Amino acid sequence: MFDFFKKKPPVPEPPPASTTPQPLAGRKGHIGGIEALTLDGTLYFFGFDFRSDLVVSPLIPDAALMARFAAEHMEQRDGVHDETYWRELVGYAVDNSELCSDETSRSFDSQALAAAIASLGRVQREGTPEPGFAIEYHLRYLLGAAGGWEVPEEAGDEDADAWIRLIAGAAPVPEGVSLSDVAARLQRHLNALVDAAPGNWATLFAVLKS
């Protein structure tokens, strides 16, 4: 009759939440490797599926955490591997890339990107070229791969490199083509790339939007 006085067994605590980042858009179990880029002096790692042309992880600024992510969520052609194995691949990615051999093309500066977007806005308003204008191809490629290549057709990239050459004055503007319209279309394309990119890819490169 006095059972309610008995000490009840403790309620088990839930397991601690994992601190490992989650794959982008459910891209778990992809076969791939480790790549890296530098933004504003910080080195970020990310997982990449070369066969599918997809970024599979957020940008991760910690080598050990990148290795843990890969051990939990990625594979190699011969199967899964532990963190020690992946740590070697993370180390290799510091100075090497299977996607882009030019180190300068893997390094970005937010202020320089913001200045480029400001220049693009001027071209939209004034319709005159901006010598030296550039938005690195590798950055546009990575944002597309992070977003799963889901850029709307009307903001497609089939002519993005040609648009950039026109805006920079590196190629003559075809008759009947408005440079203001070219600049506006490139900006729509950049907006779409950032909008489609999940996780911190969008937040870290939000400067490309206007």
Side-chain angles (χ1 to χ4, degrees):
M1 62 180 292
F2 298 107
D3 285 350
F4 61 91
F5 286 119
K6 292 182 179 179
K7 187 175 181 180
K8 296 181 179 179
V11 177
E13 294 184 2
S18 173
T19 58
T20 307
Q22 294 301 301
L24 297 183
R27 297 169 195 164
K28 182 178 176 64
H30 279 246
I31 295 172
I34 308 299
E35 291 285 328
L37 61 81
T38 300
L39 176 64
D40 299 333
T42 298
L43 183 65
Y44 291 91
F45 301 98
F46 58 95
F48 195 87
D49 180 340
F50 300 97
R51 183 173 55 185
S52 300
D53 259 3
L54 288 174
V55 172
V56 300
S57 80
L59 289 161
I60 300 174
D62 180 270
L65 190 58
M66 182 69 246
R68 189 189 313 158
F69 172 93
E72 293 184 15
H73 300 299
M74 295 178 65
E75 298 182 16
Q76 291 267 274
R77 290 179 181 176
D78 58 349
V80 298
H81 290 275
D82 62 14
E83 289 185 39
T84 301
Y85 172 92
W86 284 104
R87 186 65 181 85
E88 291 188 16
L89 297 188
V90 173
Y92 178 82
V94 172
D95 296 312
N96 302 276
S97 171
E98 300 298 325
L99 293 174
C100 179
S101 59
D102 182 4
E103 186 174 352
T104 60
S105 295
R106 294 183 277 121
S107 183
F108 311 104
D109 179 85
S110 292
Q111 289 187 348
L113 293 174
I117 295 303
S119 296
L120 187 59
R122 186 201 64 75
V123 176
Q124 288 186 66
R125 294 188 303 272
E126 301 177 10
T128 56
E130 178 68 26
F133 176 82
I135 300 289
E136 186 63 50
Y137 167 80
H138 188 56
L139 176 55
R140 292 181 281 119
Y141 168 80
L142 290 178
L143 287 171
W149 306 107
E150 294 183 359
V151 174
E153 184 176 350
E154 63 271 17
D157 65 349
E158 71 280 358
D159 293 319
D161 290 318
W163 300 336
I164 289 172
R165 288 193 296 272
L166 293 175
I167 292 165
V173 179
E175 186 176 351
V177 173
S178 163
L179 197 56
S180 293
D181 289 344
V182 171
R185 188 167 187 189
L186 178 60
Q187 185 61 71
R188 287 196 299 272
H189 173 63
L190 295 173
N191 290 348
L193 284 176
V194 176
D195 286 341
N200 65 353
W201 283 89
T203 55
L204 289 171
F205 290 106
V207 67
L208 291 174
K209 290 192 64 176
S210 177

